[in-house]
Amino acid sequence: MDIKEQGSGRRSGLSFVLSIIFALLTLATAIAIIIGGGKLISLGGSAYYLIAGIAYIVLVVLYFKKPAAGFIFSCLIFALTIIWSLVEVGGLIYWDLLPRLVVPALLFLLSLLVTATDKGVLSSQRRLSGGLSLVVFVALIATFIGGFFPHNTLYNPEAVSAEPLQPTDSDASKAGQDWRYISRNASGTRFVPLDQVNADNVKDLQVAWTYHTGRRLTGNATGVDENTPIQIGSVLYTCTPENLIAAVDADTGKPIWKFDPHARTYEHVTCRSVGYYDYDSDETLSAEQKAAYTDTACRQRIIVSTVDARLIALDAHTGELCPNFGQNGMVNLQQGMGDTADSRRYHPTSVPVIMGHLTVFGSWVRDITEDEPSGVLRAYDVRDGSLAWAWDVGNVEGAKQGDAHYTLSTPNVWAIPTYDKDLGLVYVSTGNGPPDYWGGNRNAAKEKYGSSVIALDVNTGKTRWVFQTVHHDIWDYDLPSQPVMYNMKNEQGEVVPALIQTSKMGEIFVLDRRTGKPVSKVEEKPVPTSPAAQEEHLSPTQPFSVDMPTIGLEQLNEKKMWGVSMFDQLYCRILFKSALYSGIFQPNSEKTYLEFPATMGGMNWGGVSIDETSGILYVNDIRLGMLMALKSKEEAKGQKISLNEVPQWAGTIRPQISGPYVGVRMDNFASFLQVPCQHPPFGTMTAIDLHSKKIVWQVPMGTVEDTGPLGVKTHLPMPVGMPTLGGPTTTKSGLVFFAGSQDNYLRALDSKTGKEVWKARLPVGATASPLIYQSAKTGKEYIVISAGGAAHSPDVGDYLIAYALPDKA
């Protein structure tokens, strides 16, 4: 019977249809990977794709000429593909194996089904094919299910120190305090000494109230909602991207007052928080000075910096402008700044940090030409709006109140400053000197103060110390996050007042707040300097924080390229091999070069949170690259040039008008499906013990539920680990709250393990950091998130949502 069946050469109708489908799909795959594989080999890449493509063509011929031999050859191809994948990946790594094996497994499954239904082969071969097809099918289903579980996780409980460090602020661990700063206290730790909501009852959290901020949701430049409200007593003070300020009842979410300054601009439209000043609690004023202020209005005031470059003071109780501040409650911040193009080229993006009766705040400058507005940092008296001091790196010792013009095109401070009351210092983190990606003609001030952490005297603005994190920064590795104060041990084992600064490079620098000297060891290491752009002079070394963990920074290679299929993975391999890349600090060039991490980070503006009872630091990160190429005027002809900063600059030429260049071509390092080219995760949450300086745990942060290839939502909660913005907030009860992923959730993680213990679906995503406080009236603990849309998502909203435990019956 078997001999007759084998010799008949007749296929059933089902077998014929399956064989046609198999042949067409296999040939299409073969053609694609032969073309791409040939290109990859010409670039010095893997030969697998070309060999596999040829093998697939042979396979199709065999299936029609000699089906039995085709079955054996198909098994051989798939077996060798598995071996190649495991060897190249280095083991059973889920996301790395996925694009290498899924398409070959589907083709193998089709080939088995063709054999299993082909009456022209031996029945034993048909039975074997049928059995194998069931195994492959089950394996594919299991692989799909596996995508819904976290991978690439780290858990190292041995890293936790038995002797936690002492909190920086002696009052920081006391419950019942107001949330006066964007990170709760002046130290910036974003730690909440509350334990009403804990790991046991967090599952019971429910929406307590929702407030609609009324932000503009349509039209151009609506901005990104990065707002963390402050809480003073029973009132929250919140702002929208265009600085619509509101006072909201902390227990009900009902508005008390609103103030709209009608602020408009075109880029970096955001308001991260507001400042609060109280005459009565100002320790920098004498009793006589406090008593001298007899007005009933504005004794407590809200300080706001707007996106159209104004500084505004409002009565905290009524929302009315303070008439004794500036001119009718406002100060024009554009004075002396150069051409701001009506604030398009310059405006504050930070938060007014209150330092006694002074306030200081960082500002954004569009870093694309040599004549950008000044990056000067200024402090104002919150009582009357007068300029107290100006720190101008082009005239550090000479800048003073009343200067008509500040030095143009200097490094700016767009991150949030940190106020050290005990040492009388304010710590600021600078950007690089404009333009971002070419620095052949930078002056000494830009070279010294760019991409640095700097301590300034609170009262005079004089420089106390400077620590540079990137020399001659031509990668836009400006420091984006607030420096955080916390006591740590230095190399001699002494506990010292430390300052922790995260960076876009994934490096964490720890400095002595008194001197700026490293607390955790920093080494100058050689970095590549060629081939570089014309007239460029790169630093031969860069500082690396070698004792602290580095987050998300890895040396890429072709094997680490990724895709959702073998096709876009092959595309990404070609992109990688076509670009100049030597690792972190790849020199700029007229040829396409890969910058990884890119301008988004690494670690961005959300900063860190520190559990002050355990000394554990929590930080989220971004893992994205950019393909870059400097362009001369001739090369830029006919290409689209965008003056926009974010998010539309990808795929355009961004002006860099300096020296021999007019721009830099910027493209996301992503496949044709707009999926990042390097392997997952693309963002994580990491816990670091500050005593042992080791990672305790690391988990991928966020799923693809609300995004996906080509921006199409997958609706699949697969925890790939997505790019993150905003920051975490930690509680005494052992929870880490976070919402800045690319899906629409507010989450709570177990602070000891990183395990997700609760999540709440938001109407849109969030880019802000959570606010947590205890009501002064009811004693109830609230977790509040400003949900205005995930970063770069088309879905936006105007929600301020509070969660709390249900009232007891």
Side-chain angles (χ1 to χ4, degrees):
M1 177 64 72
D2 286 344
I3 296 175
K4 290 181 180 179
E5 287 179 350
Q6 188 177 17
S8 67
R10 299 177 63 184
R11 295 178 184 269
S12 66
L14 177 59
S15 178
F16 179 76
V17 172
L18 287 173
S19 63
I20 294 299
I21 294 173
F22 166 71
L24 291 175
L25 292 178
T26 304
L27 286 174
T29 298
I31 292 170
I33 63 178
I34 285 173
I35 295 172
K39 175 66 173 177
L40 186 59
I41 287 178
S42 71
L43 295 169
S46 172
Y48 164 79
Y49 297 91
L50 179 60
I51 295 171
I54 295 171
Y56 278 134
I57 290 177
V58 174
L59 178 63
V60 172
V61 173
L62 283 176
Y63 257 89
F64 280 94
K65 295 290 186 180
K66 296 181 179 181
F71 164 72
I72 296 172
F73 194 53
S74 183
C75 292
L76 179 63
I77 291 174
F78 189 58
L80 291 175
T81 295
I82 291 175
I83 294 171
W84 169 78
S85 299
L86 289 171
V87 170
E88 188 173 61
V89 168
L92 295 171
I93 304 176
Y94 179 87
W95 289 116
D96 288 42
L97 290 173
L98 194 73
R100 291 169 169 86
L101 292 178
V102 169
V103 169
L106 290 170
L107 294 178
F108 182 48
L109 177 61
L110 277 174
S111 75
L112 293 173
L113 293 175
V114 170
T115 301
T117 57
D118 186 356
K119 295 181 178 180
V121 299
L122 297 172
S123 59
S124 59
Q125 201 173 59
R126 293 203 304 272
R127 288 193 297 271
L128 179 58
S129 294
L132 282 175
S133 66
L134 180 60
V135 171
V136 174
F137 178 75
V138 170
L140 285 168
I141 295 298
T143 299
F144 178 72
I145 294 172
F148 293 89
F149 295 88
H151 300 277
N152 303 101
T153 60
L154 298 175
Y155 183 51
N156 181 30
E158 292 79 15
V160 178
S161 172
E163 46 177 320
L165 303 170
Q166 292 296 315
T168 299
D169 184 350
S170 60
D171 295 326
S173 59
K174 295 180 181 178
Q177 286 188 323
D178 293 337
W179 186 297
R180 288 202 174 201
Y181 295 82
I182 184 173
S183 297
R184 186 177 179 270
N185 52 37
S187 63
T189 58
R190 211 181 290 124
F191 171 71
V192 185
L194 300 176
D195 55 10
Q196 187 180 116
V197 178
N198 53 53
D200 294 328
N201 61 24
V202 66
K203 65 181 184 302
D204 299 322
L205 283 175
Q206 59 188 29
V207 174
W209 52 260
T210 300
Y211 169 72
H212 290 276
T213 65
R215 64 171 287 205
R216 184 168 61 92
L217 300 177
T218 59
N220 295 326
T222 55
V224 179
D225 185 355
E226 299 173 340
N227 167 53
T228 298
I230 61 172
Q231 168 256 333
I232 309 296
S234 60
V235 181
L236 304 186
Y237 297 96
T238 183
C239 63
T240 69
E242 293 179 316
N243 307 115
L244 174 60
I245 311 301
V248 178
D249 187 282
D251 281 289
T252 66
K254 293 181 179 179
I256 299 170
W257 55 257
K258 289 184 178 182
F259 176 81
D260 188 352
H262 302 288
R264 298 288 185 272
T265 192
Y266 299 95
E267 301 175 42
H268 272 288
V269 184
T270 189
C271 178
R272 293 188 176 127
S273 196
V274 299
Y276 175 80
Y277 176 71
D278 180 6
Y279 265 94
D280 298 323
S281 63
D282 185 353
E283 297 178 0
T284 65
L285 298 181
S286 65
E288 291 77 13
Q289 288 175 306
K290 293 177 183 179
Y293 186 80
T294 58
D295 290 353
T296 56
C298 293
R299 194 164 190 88
Q300 291 78 35
R301 53 186 65 187
I302 299 299
I303 307 298
V304 182
S305 56
T306 67
V307 294
D308 60 355
R310 286 177 286 167
L311 186 65
I312 297 175
L314 305 172
D315 187 300
H317 304 288
T318 66
E320 299 291 329
L321 288 165
C322 296
N324 54 6
F325 182 89
Q327 294 185 347
N328 299 317
M330 301 184 186
V331 173
N332 180 11
L333 299 176
Q334 299 187 54
Q335 184 176 359
M337 298 299 291
D339 180 11
T340 69
D342 291 329
S343 80
R344 179 167 185 159
R345 300 175 70 185
Y346 156 83
H347 58 260
T349 54
S350 181
V351 177
V353 175
I354 306 302
M355 311 179 301
H357 60 279
L358 301 181
T359 185
V360 68
F361 45 88
S363 299
W364 170 83
V365 174
R366 192 182 65 185
D367 300 330
I368 62 177
T369 70
E370 292 180 342
D371 63 344
E372 296 290 7
S374 177
V376 63
L377 184 75
R378 292 170 289 180
Y380 290 84
D381 193 313
V382 295
R383 298 171 297 176
D384 58 13
S386 60
L387 180 65
W389 52 259
W391 183 75
D392 178 359
V393 301
N395 186 20
V396 174
E397 300 303 324
K400 58 184 183 299
Q401 181 176 347
D403 276 1
H405 297 285
Y406 301 104
T407 309
L408 299 182
S409 197
T410 50
N412 62 320
V413 178
W414 67 270
I416 300 163
T418 300
Y419 170 47
D420 189 335
K421 178 179 65 175
D422 293 336
L423 294 180
L425 299 176
V426 58
Y427 309 106
V428 297
S429 308
T430 65
N432 51 348
D436 285 328
Y437 300 104
W438 184 85
N441 60 3
R442 287 182 185 163
N443 58 30
K446 290 184 183 181
E447 298 288 31
K448 179 178 179 179
Y449 295 105
S451 299
S452 298
V453 185
I454 301 168
L456 306 176
D457 186 283
V458 164
N459 296 310
T460 65
K462 299 296 184 181
T463 305
R464 291 285 189 87
W465 54 256
V466 180
F467 178 86
Q468 190 165 64
T469 60
V470 183
H471 307 320
H472 191 75
D473 182 3
I474 48 85
W475 303 273
D476 198 19
Y477 284 159
D478 49 4
L479 290 172
S481 60
Q482 179 182 16
V484 179
M485 300 191 298
Y486 196 74
N487 292 341
M488 286 182 64
K489 288 185 178 180
N490 60 17
E491 293 184 71
Q492 291 73 42
E494 304 167 322
V495 177
V496 299
L499 191 72
I500 301 169
Q501 177 69 62
T502 58
S503 70
K504 291 183 178 180
M505 302 89 71
E507 299 278 345
I508 302 173
F509 296 92
V510 183
L511 310 174
D512 189 315
R513 299 203 305 271
R514 300 165 299 184
T515 64
K517 302 297 183 183
V519 170
S520 183
K521 189 176 181 181
V522 174
E523 290 183 358
E524 287 283 337
K525 294 185 178 182
V527 294
T529 57
S530 65
Q534 295 181 47
E535 303 174 28
E536 188 60 275
H537 51 88
L538 302 181
S539 173
T541 65
Q542 292 290 350
F544 288 83
S545 181
V546 295
D547 279 352
M548 289 293 291
T550 299
I551 308 300
L553 173 61
E554 63 175 329
Q555 183 78 16
L556 296 180
N557 56 43
E558 183 196 337
K559 296 177 182 179
K560 294 177 181 178
M561 296 302 101
W562 197 73
V564 296
S565 70
M566 68 186 305
F567 306 112
D568 56 324
Q569 184 182 45
L570 173 56
Y571 178 87
C572 283
R573 286 176 181 255
I574 292 170
L575 281 183
F576 178 78
K577 296 296 288 187
S578 300
L580 298 174
Y581 175 74
S582 54
I584 184 73
F585 301 116
Q586 163 64 41
N588 55 358
S589 174
E590 296 172 16
K591 296 181 180 179
T592 299
Y593 63 98
L594 171 60
E595 184 177 308
F596 181 86
T599 179
M600 293 294 289
M603 291 168 271
N604 211 281
W605 67 267
V608 306
S609 178
I610 299 175
D611 185 330
E612 297 189 8
T613 61
S614 66
I616 306 292
L617 176 150
Y618 302 90
V619 62
N620 56 291
D621 71 296
I622 301 170
R623 304 182 188 187
L624 295 175
M626 293 290 294
L627 293 172
M628 320 277 288
L630 290 167
K631 298 294 182 181
S632 65
K633 184 176 182 180
E634 188 65 27
E635 291 173 317
K637 282 183 179 179
Q639 298 191 55
K640 181 181 179 181
I641 296 181
S642 172
L643 293 178
N644 294 323
E645 280 282 316
V646 290
Q648 299 90 351
W649 41 252
T652 67
I653 293 182
R654 179 184 174 198
Q656 290 286 276
I657 304 170
S658 189
Y661 301 107
V662 297
V664 58
R665 173 80 187 190
M666 304 178 71
D667 292 280
N668 292 321
F669 185 46
S671 74
F672 51 79
L673 296 178
Q674 288 306 298
V675 173
C677 271
Q678 83 285 347
H679 59 176
F682 310 126
T684 68
M685 183 70 72
T686 302
I688 301 170
D689 187 289
L690 291 177
H691 186 87
S692 67
K693 300 177 184 176
K694 295 179 180 179
I695 292 176
V696 179
W697 54 257
Q698 185 176 87
V699 296
M701 201 72 249
T703 73
V704 294
E705 182 172 351
D706 295 295
T707 186
L710 299 175
V712 178
K713 297 179 181 181
T714 68
H715 302 289
L716 300 174
M718 292 181 169
V720 177
M722 303 300 288
T724 62
L725 281 172
T729 301
T730 311
T731 69
K732 181 182 177 181
S733 62
L735 296 175
V736 180
F737 287 89
F738 183 72
S741 61
Q742 295 297 303
D743 53 3
N744 302 349
Y745 287 99
L746 170 63
R747 290 179 168 87
L749 308 180
D750 186 311
S751 64
K752 293 182 179 178
T753 65
K755 180 181 177 182
E756 182 182 289
V757 293
W758 173 80
K759 67 179 179 180
R761 183 72 172 166
L762 301 172
V764 295
T767 309
S769 303
L771 157 72
I772 303 175
Y773 62 92
Q774 188 173 37
S775 168
K777 291 181 179 178
T778 65
K780 182 178 288 190
E781 182 178 336
Y782 292 92
I783 296 92
V784 176
I785 189 68
S786 189
H792 311 311
S793 170
D795 300 327
V796 296
D798 69 338
Y799 305 90
L800 189 67
I801 306 173
Y803 295 85
L805 296 173
D807 294 327
K808 294 181 180 179

